[in-house]
Amino acid sequence: MNWTERHSSLRLITFAGMLPLLLACGGEDATAPRAERLILSNVHVEGYPTAEGLRDFERRVKDDPLLGERVALDLQLGGVLGNEKETLEKLGFGGIQMACTSVAPLAEFSGEIGVLTLPYLFRGPEHMWRVLDGEIGAELLGSLQANGLVGLAWYDAGARSFYNRQRPVRRLEDLKGLKIRVQKSEIMREMVEALGASPVSLGFKEVYTNLYTGSIDGAENNVPSYRSERHFEVAKFYSYDRHSTIPDLLMIGAAAWERLSGEEQAALRQAARESSAAQRGFWRDYVTEALEAVAAAGSQINEVDDVEAFQQAVEPLYAKYGAVYGSLIERIRAVD
Ligand code: GCU
C-alpha cells in the first residue's frame, strides 16, 4: 500500500468510526421538526424602548418550552434591513418573516387599520389604549389577515409633534412654508398640508441627513425618536401639538404563521402580548430620560398656544376619510 492508498483507507476507517457519533450529535434526525427561522426587522436602535420590548419578546420565545426548540428568532434592529416601507414589502413576499413597524406606512398596504393614523383621533394615550386593548383593537389586528399578515401586539409609540430648525411653532402660521418630513403615508401628507406646511416623504433613517443638509426644515415624531435618532442636534425647536398618536405593531407574515402548529401560534401570541406590556413600561421610563437629555443639549421645548386651531385645520380629513372608515371613527370616539 503506497502512501496515498494508506491515507485514503485511513480516512475511510476514521469516517466509519465517527459515523455513529455524527448521527448521535450533529446528524439530521429526519423525524425532528426543523427550527423555523423568523427574521424580525425594526428601525430602532438598541436601548430604545421598542428595541427593548423586542429583546424581551426574543427572551420569552427562547425561554418558552415549546417555542424555544421550534423557533430561531433573528432580531435585526437599527433599520439594517431597511426602512419601514421596504420592510413591509419584504414581509409581504416572505423575504423576512416578522416586523415591528409604525401603523402609518402599514396603512398603505392594508385598509381599515389606517383609521389609527387620523390626526387628533384619540383624546389621549389612555383613550388610545382602551381602544387598542379592546374589541376595536382586536378587530383591526384581524383585518390584516386579508393582506397576508397576522397582527400580534401593539407597541407604544407616544404622541407625535413637530420639530424644526427654524423657530418654535406656537401658532398655525409658524408652520407656513416649512418643509416637513412625513412617513410614507398619504394621511400624514394630507395632514401636514392641511396644517399649512409642505410634506416630504422619507424613510426614518433618511431624516437626520436631510435635516443636517437643510433639504428639509423639520419633521414630526415623539420625543424618544427625536432623541434616539439625534434629530435634536440639528432641529432645536420641539413644539408639542400632539397631532397624532400612532402605535407600532408587532406582526408576522401569514406563510410563516401557517407553518406553526396551533399551540405554537398561541405561545407566540402570548409572548408578543407580554412583551407589549413590558414595552409600555420601557416607554414611560424612556420618555422622561429623553426629555431631560434633549433639554440638557439645548433643545427648546414648547406647547402650541392654540391646539383647537390645529384640530380645526385637519377637519377636512374627517370629511374625506369618514367615507373610507365609516362607523369606525365614531366607534373609536365613543370608547370612554
Ligand atoms: C416612530 C415609530 C417608528 C417609525 C418612525 C417614523 O419612531 O416608532 O416605527 O419608523 O416613528 O417616523 O418613521
Side-chain angles (χ1 to χ4, degrees):
M1 204 186 270
N2 65 25
W3 189 90
T4 325
E5 282 164 349
R6 205 172 46 231
H7 189 73
S8 53
S9 65
L10 251 182
R11 259 209 317 245
L12 262 179
I13 294 165
T14 329
F15 181 72
M18 278 170 63
L19 202 57
L21 202 70
L22 276 176
L23 278 177
C25 51
E28 292 253 325
D29 173 356
T31 57
R34 300 259 307 279
E36 189 69 43
R37 182 178 179 215
L38 301 179
I39 306 176
L40 197 180
S41 167
N42 178 254
V43 287
H44 290 296
V45 293
E46 206 77 64
Y48 187 88
T50 306
E52 294 275 284
L54 295 172
R55 286 283 178 222
D56 181 272
F57 174 64
E58 183 184 44
R59 273 192 301 277
R60 288 176 197 280
V61 168
K62 203 158 159 254
D63 295 345
D64 184 273
L66 210 59
L67 299 175
E69 297 281 302
R70 178 76 173 100
V71 167
L73 193 74
D74 180 358
L75 176 56
Q76 295 294 326
L77 296 170
V80 289
L81 295 183
N83 279 305
E84 295 194 330
K85 181 170 179 278
E86 299 82 66
T87 293
L88 289 165
E89 282 162 3
K90 288 194 187 98
L91 189 61
F93 68 73
I96 60 172
Q97 294 70 38
M98 296 190 75
C100 180
T101 75
S102 165
V103 163
L106 178 61
E108 302 293 291
F109 293 81
S110 170
E112 282 166 55
I113 207 154
V115 71
L116 300 176
T117 66
L118 283 169
Y120 298 110
L121 175 70
F122 297 111
R123 292 186 295 278
E126 295 79 19
H127 178 212
M128 179 190 80
W129 284 116
R130 281 195 295 278
V131 170
L132 296 181
D133 290 336
E135 188 187 302
I136 301 176
E139 208 175 294
L140 291 174
L141 290 183
S143 73
L144 293 173
Q145 251 170 13
N147 304 90
L149 296 173
V150 178
L152 296 176
W154 307 103
Y155 272 24
D156 203 347
R160 303 177 73 97
S161 291
F162 290 106
Y163 50 92
N164 77 92
R165 296 163 46 112
Q166 318 292 3
R167 52 184 175 255
V169 172
R170 300 192 193 284
R171 292 169 303 271
L172 262 187
E173 300 83 85
D174 298 324
L175 276 172
K176 278 244 148 53
L178 293 183
K179 277 188 268 166
I180 300 290
R181 174 268 174 171
V182 291
Q183 294 169 280
K184 306 263 165 130
S185 148
E186 189 48 34
I187 290 189
M188 295 307 270
R189 286 190 73 85
E190 290 177 22
M191 178 200 70
V192 165
E193 271 166 5
L195 293 171
S198 309
V200 180
S201 297
L202 290 172
F204 189 49
K205 294 295 179 187
E206 295 162 327
V207 181
Y208 184 92
T209 337
N210 282 279
L211 277 174
Y212 188 83
T213 57
S215 59
I216 54 174
D217 300 300
E220 50 82 50
N221 216 320
N222 51 56
V223 174
S225 297
Y226 175 61
R227 191 255 179 129
S228 66
E229 296 298 308
R230 312 201 68 79
H231 296 167
F232 66 92
E233 289 177 354
V234 268
K236 179 171 160 178
F237 303 102
Y238 189 99
S239 308
Y240 278 118
D241 71 314
R242 301 180 185 83
H243 49 259
S244 333
T245 312
I246 304 176
D248 288 349
L249 180 60
L250 175 56
M251 62 206 131
I252 178 168
W257 181 249
E258 291 309 327
R259 287 196 291 273
L260 301 176
S261 71
E263 280 182 323
E264 289 161 353
Q265 291 177 349
L268 197 74
R269 202 183 275 286
Q270 182 64 16
R273 285 205 182 122
E274 286 168 4
S275 77
S276 149
Q279 190 266 351
R280 297 182 206 182
F282 300 143
W283 185 267
R284 279 191 292 273
D285 297 343
Y286 191 83
V287 167
T288 316
E289 187 189 319
L291 259 176
E292 284 167 9
V294 299
S299 282
Q300 285 188 29
I301 302 162
N302 70 284
E303 296 281 335
V304 299
D305 291 345
D306 182 10
V307 78
E308 283 82 24
F310 286 69
Q311 290 168 342
Q312 257 170 31
V314 300
E315 270 306 310
L317 269 81
Y318 282 88
K320 175 172 173 187
Y321 287 99
V324 178
Y325 298 119
S327 62
L328 256 178
I329 299 174
E330 285 126 59
R331 285 176 56 212
I332 289 175
R333 290 200 155 149
V335 171
D336 274 346

